[in-house]
Amino acid sequence: MKSVRISFVLVLILALAFVSATKADNHQSQSLTVVWAEWDPANYLQELSKDFTAETGIAVDVIQIPWPSFQDKVFTAFVGKSDLYDIVIGDSQWLGRNSQGGNYINLTDWINENIDVDAIYGPAMTAFAEYPKGSGTYWALPAEVDAAGYVYRKDLFEDPGEMKAFQEKYGYALAPPKTYDQLRDIAEFFTRPEQDLYGIGTWYSKEYDGITMGFQQVMWSFGGSYGDADNYKVDGYINTEDVAKALEFYTDLLKFSPPDAPNYYWAETLNAYTSGKVAMAMNYFAFFPGVVNAETNPTSHDKSGFFIAPAGPKGHYISIGGQGMSISSYSKNKDLAKQYMKWFMQKPVQEKWAALGGFTPHKEVLQSDAFKTATPFNEAFAASFPYLRDFWAVPEYAELLEACQTNWSEAISGIKSAKEALNAIARKHEEIFEDAGYYDE
């Protein structure tokens, strides 16, 4: 009997050990994969996610893909219905294509039940979460909210000699520009090719959405638009005299830019500024940490100031950047992904996200003194929010974007006049909308 009892106890111990080991294995096997572009915010998210893992035991791996191949790799995974990615942090323009294409899950009911939407800045939900716009249907939550802004050389702007010369030439004080007319004056003033110094670095590149993101905010601020979002009419909106003037103005800025400026997007303007070639440069706020870092910007890291994109003669609008956080329809970890997203949107987590360097959509955190003073550029970022606007987010955005990129590039290079380029865009956009069935009764 004794040996039987010992055998029974031994079996029981082994069984309990097996169950315990199985639970541990299951616990350890719980993991999430987040895919994002390769940049600093993705590093911040990986660091932030350590807290989620500590709280839940769920491992989080943030896969980073270089920007030039980011969209292609993610969309290729969608085509193959791959379960490689659980959470996708994609551009706002992706919403239409991936929601209608079945690649993102509909989060509307879950968000309304689990997320305090009122705590999130409204334009961020509209840009990064909602499709169709105004429908109240959500496919994402804002992850990294970004905007186009400017950095400038304080050592030049605040130099007494430069200030005196500028005042004498233009009749007003040298300071960060509030209007596009002032931006042009300052760009002209600091353009000194003999010193390898130019007034401005802004976006003209045909890469992805370069010139579109750079020019559209000028277009809006000069009184133009892409079209009527209710009926998708484009002719008479994007090809007006106001937009032609805006495009001519934007082309004229090339005179005050380095010779290679037609190729500039975010990396090139960042490099032009940190190498001391331009007095002011446009970039996404998310790239400005590289400006204030002594290692990446030995020239002016401690002499850099920041300002929001200027106003135009008929309005004040700024290109929105950043991405929303969606759940892949092909993920096998949808419940874990929702758990992570709910955790991410909590105010204390958003406070830490902001402290690490992320740009928060949380209204209270965004407007807090702690956020505004955390970096030299956060205050300008927060001030940009009321003016943010976006490109078309419809499923056909890539085709629409290509028409803009091609024709605006041909306009600045002189291949087409501004009016010719804008008429070509209007025709192509309406053709795209017609082919997609937007005009069907």
Side-chain angles (χ1 to χ4, degrees), residues 87-106:
I87 293 175
V88 177
I89 303 182
D91 282 345
S92 56
Q93 296 98 319
W94 294 10
L95 276 179
R97 174 160 291 185
N98 289 319
S99 61
Q100 300 306 296
N103 301 318
Y104 289 164
I105 69 169
N106 189 322

PDB file of all heavy atoms in Angstrom, residues 87-106:
ATOM      1  N   ILE A  87      -1.194  44.441 -34.774  1.00  0.00           N
ATOM      2  CA  ILE A  87      -1.555  45.862 -34.786  1.00  0.00           C
ATOM      3  C   ILE A  87      -0.746  46.547 -35.874  1.00  0.00           C
ATOM      4  O   ILE A  87       0.473  46.365 -35.969  1.00  0.00           O
ATOM      5  CB  ILE A  87      -1.280  46.517 -33.417  1.00  0.00           C
ATOM      6  CG1 ILE A  87      -2.233  45.933 -32.361  1.00  0.00           C
ATOM      7  CG2 ILE A  87      -1.429  48.028 -33.491  1.00  0.00           C
ATOM      8  CD1 ILE A  87      -1.958  46.424 -30.948  1.00  0.00           C
ATOM      9  N   VAL A  88      -1.431  47.329 -36.683  1.00  0.00           N
ATOM     10  CA  VAL A  88      -0.790  48.076 -37.763  1.00  0.00           C
ATOM     11  C   VAL A  88      -0.917  49.561 -37.463  1.00  0.00           C
ATOM     12  O   VAL A  88      -2.024  50.072 -37.263  1.00  0.00           O
ATOM     13  CB  VAL A  88      -1.440  47.758 -39.123  1.00  0.00           C
ATOM     14  CG1 VAL A  88      -0.809  48.596 -40.231  1.00  0.00           C
ATOM     15  CG2 VAL A  88      -1.317  46.271 -39.440  1.00  0.00           C
ATOM     16  N   ILE A  89       0.206  50.252 -37.402  1.00  0.00           N
ATOM     17  CA  ILE A  89       0.180  51.706 -37.218  1.00  0.00           C
ATOM     18  C   ILE A  89       0.463  52.327 -38.576  1.00  0.00           C
ATOM     19  O   ILE A  89       1.611  52.422 -39.011  1.00  0.00           O
ATOM     20  CB  ILE A  89       1.194  52.156 -36.150  1.00  0.00           C
ATOM     21  CG1 ILE A  89       0.913  51.430 -34.829  1.00  0.00           C
ATOM     22  CG2 ILE A  89       1.128  53.666 -35.957  1.00  0.00           C
ATOM     23  CD1 ILE A  89       1.810  51.828 -33.683  1.00  0.00           C
ATOM     24  N   GLY A  90      -0.610  52.697 -39.268  1.00  0.00           N
ATOM     25  CA  GLY A  90      -0.504  53.146 -40.649  1.00  0.00           C
ATOM     26  C   GLY A  90      -0.954  54.576 -40.846  1.00  0.00           C
ATOM     27  O   GLY A  90      -1.632  55.162 -39.996  1.00  0.00           O
ATOM     28  N   ASP A  91      -0.596  55.143 -41.972  1.00  0.00           N
ATOM     29  CA  ASP A  91      -0.943  56.521 -42.304  1.00  0.00           C
ATOM     30  C   ASP A  91      -2.459  56.710 -42.331  1.00  0.00           C
ATOM     31  O   ASP A  91      -3.216  55.784 -42.627  1.00  0.00           O
ATOM     32  CB  ASP A  91      -0.364  56.913 -43.660  1.00  0.00           C
ATOM     33  CG  ASP A  91       1.125  57.234 -43.580  1.00  0.00           C
ATOM     34  OD1 ASP A  91       1.626  57.431 -42.457  1.00  0.00           O
ATOM     35  OD2 ASP A  91       1.773  57.301 -44.631  1.00  0.00           O
ATOM     36  N   SER A  92      -2.867  57.950 -42.077  1.00  0.00           N
ATOM     37  CA  SER A  92      -4.298  58.266 -42.066  1.00  0.00           C
ATOM     38  C   SER A  92      -4.938  57.959 -43.411  1.00  0.00           C
ATOM     39  O   SER A  92      -6.100  57.547 -43.474  1.00  0.00           O
ATOM     40  CB  SER A  92      -4.494  59.743 -41.716  1.00  0.00           C
ATOM     41  OG  SER A  92      -3.776  60.585 -42.608  1.00  0.00           O
ATOM     42  N   GLN A  93      -4.160  58.142 -44.514  1.00  0.00           N
ATOM     43  CA  GLN A  93      -4.718  57.888 -45.844  1.00  0.00           C
ATOM     44  C   GLN A  93      -5.048  56.414 -46.080  1.00  0.00           C
ATOM     45  O   GLN A  93      -5.759  56.079 -47.014  1.00  0.00           O
ATOM     46  CB  GLN A  93      -3.750  58.359 -46.939  1.00  0.00           C
ATOM     47  CG  GLN A  93      -3.507  59.857 -46.952  1.00  0.00           C
ATOM     48  CD  GLN A  93      -2.237  60.229 -46.239  1.00  0.00           C
ATOM     49  OE1 GLN A  93      -1.932  59.679 -45.185  1.00  0.00           O
ATOM     50  NE2 GLN A  93      -1.481  61.165 -46.773  1.00  0.00           N
ATOM     51  N   TRP A  94      -4.505  55.538 -45.231  1.00  0.00           N
ATOM     52  CA  TRP A  94      -4.752  54.107 -45.400  1.00  0.00           C
ATOM     53  C   TRP A  94      -6.157  53.697 -44.964  1.00  0.00           C
ATOM     54  O   TRP A  94      -6.610  52.593 -45.293  1.00  0.00           O
ATOM     55  CB  TRP A  94      -3.758  53.293 -44.575  1.00  0.00           C
ATOM     56  CG  TRP A  94      -2.322  53.383 -44.995  1.00  0.00           C
ATOM     57  CD1 TRP A  94      -1.775  54.244 -45.896  1.00  0.00           C
ATOM     58  CD2 TRP A  94      -1.249  52.579 -44.512  1.00  0.00           C
ATOM     59  NE1 TRP A  94      -0.422  54.030 -46.001  1.00  0.00           N
ATOM     60  CE2 TRP A  94      -0.074  53.015 -45.158  1.00  0.00           C
ATOM     61  CE3 TRP A  94      -1.168  51.533 -43.588  1.00  0.00           C
ATOM     62  CZ2 TRP A  94       1.166  52.435 -44.917  1.00  0.00           C
ATOM     63  CZ3 TRP A  94       0.074  50.963 -43.338  1.00  0.00           C
ATOM     64  CH2 TRP A  94       1.230  51.401 -43.998  1.00  0.00           C
ATOM     65  N   LEU A  95      -6.830  54.546 -44.197  1.00  0.00           N
ATOM     66  CA  LEU A  95      -8.097  54.145 -43.584  1.00  0.00           C
ATOM     67  C   LEU A  95      -9.115  53.656 -44.605  1.00  0.00           C
ATOM     68  O   LEU A  95      -9.750  52.612 -44.419  1.00  0.00           O
ATOM     69  CB  LEU A  95      -8.696  55.310 -42.788  1.00  0.00           C
ATOM     70  CG  LEU A  95      -8.214  55.516 -41.360  1.00  0.00           C
ATOM     71  CD1 LEU A  95      -8.911  56.719 -40.752  1.00  0.00           C
ATOM     72  CD2 LEU A  95      -8.459  54.276 -40.512  1.00  0.00           C
ATOM     73  N   GLY A  96      -9.304  54.446 -45.654  1.00  0.00           N
ATOM     74  CA  GLY A  96     -10.320  54.083 -46.628  1.00  0.00           C
ATOM     75  C   GLY A  96     -10.036  52.752 -47.292  1.00  0.00           C
ATOM     76  O   GLY A  96     -10.904  51.868 -47.366  1.00  0.00           O
ATOM     77  N   ARG A  97      -8.812  52.597 -47.780  1.00  0.00           N
ATOM     78  CA  ARG A  97      -8.456  51.377 -48.511  1.00  0.00           C
ATOM     79  C   ARG A  97      -8.516  50.148 -47.619  1.00  0.00           C
ATOM     80  O   ARG A  97      -9.043  49.096 -48.021  1.00  0.00           O
ATOM     81  CB  ARG A  97      -7.060  51.531 -49.122  1.00  0.00           C
ATOM     82  CG  ARG A  97      -6.541  50.267 -49.777  1.00  0.00           C
ATOM     83  CD  ARG A  97      -5.425  50.552 -50.757  1.00  0.00           C
ATOM     84  NE  ARG A  97      -5.910  51.269 -51.929  1.00  0.00           N
ATOM     85  CZ  ARG A  97      -5.153  51.563 -52.979  1.00  0.00           C
ATOM     86  NH1 ARG A  97      -3.889  51.205 -53.011  1.00  0.00           N
ATOM     87  NH2 ARG A  97      -5.655  52.218 -54.004  1.00  0.00           N
ATOM     88  N   ASN A  98      -8.012  50.249 -46.413  1.00  0.00           N
ATOM     89  CA  ASN A  98      -7.923  49.055 -45.572  1.00  0.00           C
ATOM     90  C   ASN A  98      -9.211  48.737 -44.825  1.00  0.00           C
ATOM     91  O   ASN A  98      -9.444  47.580 -44.454  1.00  0.00           O
ATOM     92  CB  ASN A  98      -6.760  49.193 -44.595  1.00  0.00           C
ATOM     93  CG  ASN A  98      -5.424  49.092 -45.302  1.00  0.00           C
ATOM     94  OD1 ASN A  98      -5.245  48.268 -46.186  1.00  0.00           O
ATOM     95  ND2 ASN A  98      -4.486  49.956 -44.945  1.00  0.00           N
ATOM     96  N   SER A  99     -10.051  49.748 -44.619  1.00  0.00           N
ATOM     97  CA  SER A  99     -11.357  49.450 -44.023  1.00  0.00           C
ATOM     98  C   SER A  99     -12.276  48.835 -45.067  1.00  0.00           C
ATOM     99  O   SER A  99     -12.898  47.790 -44.830  1.00  0.00           O
ATOM    100  CB  SER A  99     -11.981  50.721 -43.435  1.00  0.00           C
ATOM    101  OG  SER A  99     -12.180  51.707 -44.433  1.00  0.00           O
ATOM    102  N   GLN A 100     -12.338  49.445 -46.234  1.00  0.00           N
ATOM    103  CA  GLN A 100     -13.203  48.922 -47.295  1.00  0.00           C
ATOM    104  C   GLN A 100     -12.646  47.631 -47.896  1.00  0.00           C
ATOM    105  O   GLN A 100     -13.392  46.813 -48.423  1.00  0.00           O
ATOM    106  CB  GLN A 100     -13.366  49.981 -48.386  1.00  0.00           C
ATOM    107  CG  GLN A 100     -13.993  51.275 -47.889  1.00  0.00           C
ATOM    108  CD  GLN A 100     -15.320  51.059 -47.181  1.00  0.00           C
ATOM    109  OE1 GLN A 100     -16.280  50.611 -47.804  1.00  0.00           O
ATOM    110  NE2 GLN A 100     -15.383  51.332 -45.885  1.00  0.00           N
ATOM    111  N   GLY A 101     -11.334  47.468 -47.823  1.00  0.00           N
ATOM    112  CA  GLY A 101     -10.716  46.265 -48.364  1.00  0.00           C
ATOM    113  C   GLY A 101     -10.731  45.082 -47.418  1.00  0.00           C
ATOM    114  O   GLY A 101     -10.241  43.996 -47.761  1.00  0.00           O
ATOM    115  N   GLY A 102     -11.259  45.291 -46.205  1.00  0.00           N
ATOM    116  CA  GLY A 102     -11.380  44.187 -45.259  1.00  0.00           C
ATOM    117  C   GLY A 102     -10.118  43.874 -44.480  1.00  0.00           C
ATOM    118  O   GLY A 102     -10.028  42.829 -43.826  1.00  0.00           O
ATOM    119  N   ASN A 103      -9.139  44.792 -44.509  1.00  0.00           N
ATOM    120  CA  ASN A 103      -7.866  44.520 -43.826  1.00  0.00           C
ATOM    121  C   ASN A 103      -7.838  44.993 -42.373  1.00  0.00           C
ATOM    122  O   ASN A 103      -7.028  44.521 -41.586  1.00  0.00           O
ATOM    123  CB  ASN A 103      -6.721  45.181 -44.598  1.00  0.00           C
ATOM    124  CG  ASN A 103      -6.621  44.676 -46.016  1.00  0.00           C
ATOM    125  OD1 ASN A 103      -6.754  43.483 -46.265  1.00  0.00           O
ATOM    126  ND2 ASN A 103      -6.405  45.577 -46.962  1.00  0.00           N
ATOM    127  N   TYR A 104      -8.707  45.967 -42.031  1.00  0.00           N
ATOM    128  CA  TYR A 104      -8.831  46.439 -40.654  1.00  0.00           C
ATOM    129  C   TYR A 104     -10.170  45.960 -40.094  1.00  0.00           C
ATOM    130  O   TYR A 104     -11.167  45.909 -40.820  1.00  0.00           O
ATOM    131  CB  TYR A 104      -8.827  47.967 -40.591  1.00  0.00           C
ATOM    132  CG  TYR A 104      -7.528  48.667 -40.883  1.00  0.00           C
ATOM    133  CD1 TYR A 104      -7.524  50.027 -41.177  1.00  0.00           C
ATOM    134  CD2 TYR A 104      -6.303  48.000 -40.850  1.00  0.00           C
ATOM    135  CE1 TYR A 104      -6.347  50.708 -41.433  1.00  0.00           C
ATOM    136  CE2 TYR A 104      -5.119  48.672 -41.110  1.00  0.00           C
ATOM    137  CZ  TYR A 104      -5.142  50.036 -41.405  1.00  0.00           C
ATOM    138  OH  TYR A 104      -3.972  50.714 -41.661  1.00  0.00           O
ATOM    139  N   ILE A 105     -10.206  45.656 -38.798  1.00  0.00           N
ATOM    140  CA  ILE A 105     -11.481  45.303 -38.191  1.00  0.00           C
ATOM    141  C   ILE A 105     -12.213  46.578 -37.765  1.00  0.00           C
ATOM    142  O   ILE A 105     -11.595  47.591 -37.423  1.00  0.00           O
ATOM    143  CB  ILE A 105     -11.320  44.336 -37.002  1.00  0.00           C
ATOM    144  CG1 ILE A 105     -10.650  45.025 -35.807  1.00  0.00           C
ATOM    145  CG2 ILE A 105     -10.556  43.096 -37.402  1.00  0.00           C
ATOM    146  CD1 ILE A 105     -10.709  44.196 -34.532  1.00  0.00           C
ATOM    147  N   ASN A 106     -13.522  46.525 -37.794  1.00  0.00           N
ATOM    148  CA  ASN A 106     -14.356  47.648 -37.369  1.00  0.00           C
ATOM    149  C   ASN A 106     -14.331  47.719 -35.846  1.00  0.00           C
ATOM    150  O   ASN A 106     -14.710  46.771 -35.155  1.00  0.00           O
ATOM    151  CB  ASN A 106     -15.792  47.450 -37.872  1.00  0.00           C
ATOM    152  CG  ASN A 106     -16.665  48.666 -37.652  1.00  0.00           C
ATOM    153  OD1 ASN A 106     -16.563  49.344 -36.648  1.00  0.00           O
ATOM    154  ND2 ASN A 106     -17.545  48.928 -38.615  1.00  0.00           N
TER     155      ASN A 106
END
